[in-house]
Amino acid sequence: DLIRKYFGEKIGLYFAWLGLYTEFLIPSSVVGTIVFLYGCITMESDIPSKEMCDQRNAFTMCPLCDKFCDYWNLSSACATARASHLFDNPATVFFSIFMALWATMFLEQWKRLQMRLSYFWDLTGLEEEEEHPRPEYETKLLQKKLKNKNITTESSDEVRCCLLFSFMWDLCFAKLIHVLICLQIMLAFSAVFGIIVYRITTAAALSFSTNETTRSNVRVTVTATAVIINLVVVLILDEIYGAVAKWLTEIEIPKTEKTFEERLILKAFLLKFVNSYASIFYVAFFKGRFVGRPGHYVYVFEGYRMEECAPGGCLMELCIQLSIIMLGKQLIQNNLFEIGIPKLKKLFRKLKDEKTEVKEMDTNQSKHPQQWDLDYILEPFTGLTPEYMEMIIQFGFVTLFVASFPLAPVFALLNNIIEVRLDAKKFVTELRRPDTVREKDIGIWYNILSGIGKLSVIINAFVIAVTSDFIPRLMYQYAYSQNGTMHGFINHTLSYFNVSQLKAGTQPENSLFAQEVAFCRFKDYREPPWSPHQYEFSKQYWAVLSARLAFVILFQNLVMFLSVLVDWMIADIPKDISEQIKKEKTALVDFFLKEEHEKLKLIESFIAHDKRKRRSGTKSRRTRAASFSQCHRSPKGSFTSFSSQHTVV
């Protein structure tokens, strides 16, 4: 309420929304922590991890690269498999459903709080007033009018040509805006492709190393450095995209400030969404899907194999990618930039003003500057779009890929506790006080939040079905296991390859493997070398694929149904506010009815008074006529004629 009184309803609604969002992160953080602890507790009893770590299970794996990589034992990837179980366990399915319902409940509670604030802040009757056009729009319109006025003095053919040219120019200009947005999106995809090339080439280069430690830590080194480089690229492109979105919106010259803000939000959100999540989408759904198989690998740049997922799956790498980008953006962009950039701009403006302005040598003024002088040095207020954008991107991290990182709500909560105070300090001490704006709601941001909530259901369904091993484990336990347990799952997911069928020049050079290798294993569902259809996809592959698609459909429809049910059960308007509004409407209707009743009584009294007045007037006229005839009788008998004349009158 105090924020609203000082800054206006628009900024008051932002802090109310941020406060509610932060409060809602508390239960999701608690549940996410419980899911993570469940993974820690059940790590020792996870049978697939124990089988992978058991050195007695001699799973000889195929080389990870051509020529310079040797055969290796699956037990060497024990640490990765154990870490993957922290996030790839049955509790993550429950947590994904919980977070989908959490997003729906958050949006419903925000609608209720928004309605309550609108009522107490007297915004319920606020009508959409016609905004004044922006000065840039009026200037452009005036230029067009002057141009059209000059055109009318020319011949009709020239007029038609000029009008056609103007129409074609406007059409091409609109298409140019779309092309520029597509080019910016392609720039984000190009950055992701550059990171992929870096990972592939760096992994190949480190594999050539003579140092045994370097070769054994290739995957960790490549993953860590690639994620850090990706974070730096994301931060740089975020700043570029913000400037590009503003420039594209300005050259469109929207008519009103509201239209300008909505177009700017849509462009900035689209570009920053692609920039923030493109690499995460790649790791979740594309990495390791187009590798091929031993003897028939997919190569890029004529010699570099496509990168594969770790033996424990891509979910652990997805968790690392998501956590580093999320934490890096929150720490650097949302917190350091939040205070650092305004302070630097303030210092730069102060130094610039001291150099350019000639100040009077007034010692009193120099010792005690006026408040407006201090306020002028502050950074101008540029709108709430950057503040909302930070939280919307964070909302995406919390909901879209939460199946791979249950601790995301915890880090979001810690960030928001700091974010509220930083925003308060920035608005009060670093920015000029903005003009107060009366708004009924948060505008287009609610639609974006609702869209992210619906998209998160689909993405989490695919993460569980495609990226994690949840479906293959279920299929093995209930369809292929002889005793209904997970014993033998690792062997079931590994296919055989005859090493004699490796292409010339790709066999390991100077192999240091202990025993002679005839067959190596690789993770896939394919027919063995002794099968008539060797290396083709097996029946298990198609069964697991069908189960994955069925799970996506079932999960999506179930969660959507539950979300709609929650939406239906929670009223948009609180009961007390609804009853109070009904009472006010009833009182208003009663007041109008009473007013109309009093008006009706007054009209009836006027009519009755008028009737009485007419009756009394008729009697008085008759009396006066009779007295007049008696006083003026004619001796010649003219009384009758005069009386008849008077009666006619």
Side-chain angles (χ1 to χ4, degrees):
D1 289 332
L2 293 176
I3 294 170
R4 172 247 178 178
K5 288 178 181 177
Y6 188 75
F7 288 106
E9 284 78 6
K10 189 171 184 178
I11 296 178
L13 282 173
Y14 163 71
F15 278 97
W17 175 85
L18 181 59
L20 181 69
Y21 172 48
T22 305
E23 289 176 5
F24 257 75
L25 284 173
I26 296 174
S28 60
S29 300
V30 172
V31 177
T33 305
I34 293 173
V35 170
F36 179 75
L37 293 177
Y38 171 82
C40 296
I41 294 170
T42 58
M43 183 190 300
E44 297 298 331
S45 60
D46 182 50
I47 296 174
S49 300
K50 292 168 69 175
E51 286 186 351
M52 189 177 292
C53 295
D54 190 358
Q55 295 185 359
R56 292 174 297 178
N57 296 326
F59 295 118
T60 304
M61 306 298 292
C62 297
L64 295 175
C65 65
D66 294 342
K67 190 185 257 185
F68 295 97
C69 294
D70 201 356
Y71 303 105
W72 56 286
N73 279 322
L74 186 61
S75 58
S76 62
C78 175
T80 306
R82 291 169 67 86
S84 297
H85 180 72
L86 294 175
F87 308 101
D88 190 1
N89 57 69
T92 56
V93 180
F94 158 76
F95 190 55
S96 300
I97 298 174
F98 170 81
M99 287 304 295
L101 299 180
W102 173 87
T104 304
M105 291 188 67
F106 165 64
L107 294 176
E108 290 301 313
Q109 288 298 325
W110 168 244
K111 284 195 289 186
R112 291 169 63 85
L113 177 60
Q114 187 173 254
M115 188 63 201
R116 186 179 294 275
L117 294 177
S118 297
Y119 175 77
F120 286 113
W121 291 354
D122 196 22
L123 300 172
T124 52
L126 183 65
E127 299 294 336
E128 293 289 339
E129 298 180 359
E130 187 176 355
E131 292 187 61
H132 295 290
R134 298 172 65 246
E136 295 85 353
Y137 177 82
E138 290 186 330
T139 304
K140 184 70 174 178
L141 190 63
L142 182 61
Q143 291 175 354
K144 279 195 172 185
K145 285 182 178 179
L146 293 174
K147 187 176 180 181
N148 292 336
K149 188 176 180 181
N150 295 331
I151 289 174
T152 52
T153 60
E154 301 174 2
S155 63
S156 59
D157 292 338
E158 292 177 347
V159 169
R160 282 195 294 270
C161 289
C162 290
L163 291 176
L164 180 61
F165 176 77
S166 177
F167 172 75
M168 293 299 294
W169 169 253
D170 292 340
L171 187 63
C172 292
F173 185 75
K175 297 293 184 184
L176 179 63
I177 298 291
H178 296 157
V179 170
L180 289 174
I181 293 175
C182 292
L183 288 176
Q184 297 300 317
I185 294 174
M186 292 303 297
L187 177 62
F189 287 137
S190 301
V192 175
F193 182 73
I195 298 295
I196 295 170
V197 172
Y198 165 81
R199 296 166 69 110
I200 295 172
T201 54
T202 305
L206 292 178
S207 300
F208 300 156
S209 175
T210 56
N211 190 343
E212 180 64 28
T213 306
T214 303
R215 288 203 305 269
S216 61
N217 295 318
V218 168
R219 192 181 295 276
V220 177
T221 306
V222 170
T223 301
T225 56
V227 171
I228 293 172
I229 293 172
N230 188 27
L231 173 62
V232 174
V233 172
V234 166
L235 293 176
I236 294 173
L237 287 181
D238 254 359
E239 300 301 320
I240 295 174
Y241 283 161
V244 169
K246 187 176 181 181
W247 175 69
L248 290 175
T249 310
E250 286 176 347
I251 63 177
E252 284 183 348
I253 316 179
K255 183 176 181 180
T256 61
E257 285 294 338
K258 186 175 182 180
T259 308
F260 177 88
E261 187 177 3
E262 288 181 351
R263 293 185 182 181
L264 174 61
I265 289 169
L266 285 175
K267 290 183 181 65
F269 173 73
L270 178 63
L271 294 174
K272 292 190 176 186
F273 181 87
V274 173
N275 181 43
S276 299
Y277 299 113
S279 59
I280 301 174
F281 270 93
Y282 163 73
V283 175
F285 304 121
F286 297 100
K287 184 179 179 181
R289 312 292 171 194
F290 311 102
V291 177
R293 59 171 178 81
H296 196 270
Y297 284 114
V298 177
Y299 291 88
V300 292
F301 303 116
E302 299 180 357
Y304 294 102
R305 273 165 49 177
M306 287 293 292
E307 57 178 345
E308 304 179 41
C309 292
C314 278
L315 195 69
M316 188 61 198
E317 190 169 342
L318 175 62
C319 173
I320 295 171
Q321 185 92 6
L322 178 65
S323 59
I324 291 181
I325 292 179
M326 178 183 177
L327 297 178
K329 280 177 66 68
Q330 289 185 353
L331 179 64
I332 299 173
Q333 193 176 47
N334 296 6
N335 295 333
L336 295 181
F337 289 1
E338 191 90 15
I339 295 297
I341 290 180
K343 282 187 177 296
L344 290 175
K345 289 183 177 180
K346 177 182 173 182
L347 179 63
F348 177 74
R349 186 182 295 104
K350 187 176 180 180
L351 295 174
K352 184 179 179 182
D353 291 341
E354 288 177 355
K355 290 180 180 179
T356 56
E357 293 182 1
V358 179
K359 297 185 177 180
E360 297 180 359
M361 297 300 294
D362 188 348
T363 56
N364 294 329
Q365 262 192 339
S366 62
K367 288 182 180 178
H368 303 286
Q370 297 295 329
Q371 184 62 41
W372 53 80
D373 294 324
L374 299 175
D375 291 343
Y376 179 74
I377 301 174
L378 299 177
E379 180 72 12
F381 178 71
T382 57
L384 288 171
T385 300
E387 313 300 330
Y388 274 113
M389 191 67 70
E390 294 171 6
M391 294 296 103
I392 296 297
I393 296 297
Q394 184 202 86
F395 183 79
F397 282 121
V398 169
T399 56
L400 290 179
F401 295 93
V402 74
S404 63
F405 189 41
L407 294 178
V410 178
F411 292 108
L413 175 63
L414 296 175
N415 172 81
N416 285 11
I417 293 172
I418 302 171
E419 177 76 17
V420 173
R421 305 315 307 164
L422 288 180
D423 280 345
K425 180 177 175 58
K426 184 176 70 171
F427 273 87
V428 175
T429 63
E430 302 295 336
L431 299 177
R432 297 176 190 171
R433 182 180 176 184
D435 297 330
T436 57
V437 179
R438 287 174 64 82
E439 289 285 350
K440 295 174 64 175
D441 49 36
I442 60 175
I444 196 173
W445 293 112
Y446 180 83
N447 298 329
I448 293 175
L449 284 168
S450 180
I452 291 177
K454 292 179 173 59
L455 182 63
S456 67
V457 177
I458 302 172
I459 290 179
N460 282 308
F462 276 99
V463 168
I464 296 170
V466 177
T467 311
S468 74
D469 282 337
F470 177 73
I471 299 300
R473 292 186 182 193
L474 280 182
M475 285 292 295
Y476 176 77
Q477 185 173 0
Y478 295 106
Y480 299 107
S481 177
Q482 296 179 355
N483 52 9
T485 64
M486 293 301 296
H487 290 286
F489 172 73
I490 298 298
N491 184 54
H492 176 75
T493 58
L494 297 177
S495 299
Y496 287 90
F497 181 76
N498 190 344
V499 298
S500 62
Q501 296 178 349
L502 286 171
K503 291 183 179 179
T506 62
Q507 298 93 341
E509 291 184 351
N510 304 320
S511 177
L512 302 176
F513 211 68
Q515 66 268 20
E516 186 71 23
V517 178
F519 297 98
C520 65
R521 311 293 295 273
F522 63 99
K523 190 173 181 179
D524 206 348
Y525 292 101
R526 291 183 181 269
E527 296 289 344
W530 52 84
S531 172
H533 308 284
Q534 59 178 359
Y535 307 131
E536 292 184 3
F537 288 118
S538 62
K539 294 180 180 179
Q540 288 87 346
Y541 171 83
W542 299 110
V544 170
L545 180 61
S546 302
R548 282 173 167 168
L549 296 177
F551 174 82
V552 169
I553 297 171
L554 180 63
F555 182 89
Q556 177 185 344
N557 286 280
L558 175 63
V559 176
M560 286 293 188
F561 170 75
L562 294 176
S563 301
V564 172
L565 184 63
V566 170
D567 188 3
W568 175 75
M569 291 175 63
I570 301 176
D572 293 345
I573 304 176
K575 189 175 181 180
D576 57 335
I577 301 296
S578 178
E579 290 178 354
Q580 190 66 26
I581 291 174
K582 285 181 182 178
K583 288 180 181 179
E584 291 180 358
K585 286 185 177 180
T586 304
L588 192 63
V589 170
D590 291 342
F591 174 76
F592 280 125
L593 288 176
K594 187 177 179 181
E595 287 287 322
E596 292 297 324
H597 187 62
E598 290 178 357
K599 286 181 183 179
L600 185 60
K601 279 185 177 181
L602 187 62
I603 292 172
E604 288 177 352
S605 65
F606 280 146
I607 292 173
H609 179 70
D610 189 53
K611 286 182 179 179
R612 288 195 301 270
K613 192 174 180 181
R614 285 181 182 176
R615 289 173 185 172
S616 61
T618 306
K619 290 179 181 179
S620 63
R621 281 197 300 272
R622 288 178 181 174
T623 305
R624 285 197 302 271
S627 61
F628 181 79
S629 62
Q630 289 176 0
C631 294
H632 295 82
R633 283 185 178 178
S634 174
K636 295 183 180 180
S638 59
F639 173 77
T640 307
S641 61
F642 182 82
S643 177
S644 62
Q645 291 176 3
H646 180 75
T647 304
V648 171
V649 174

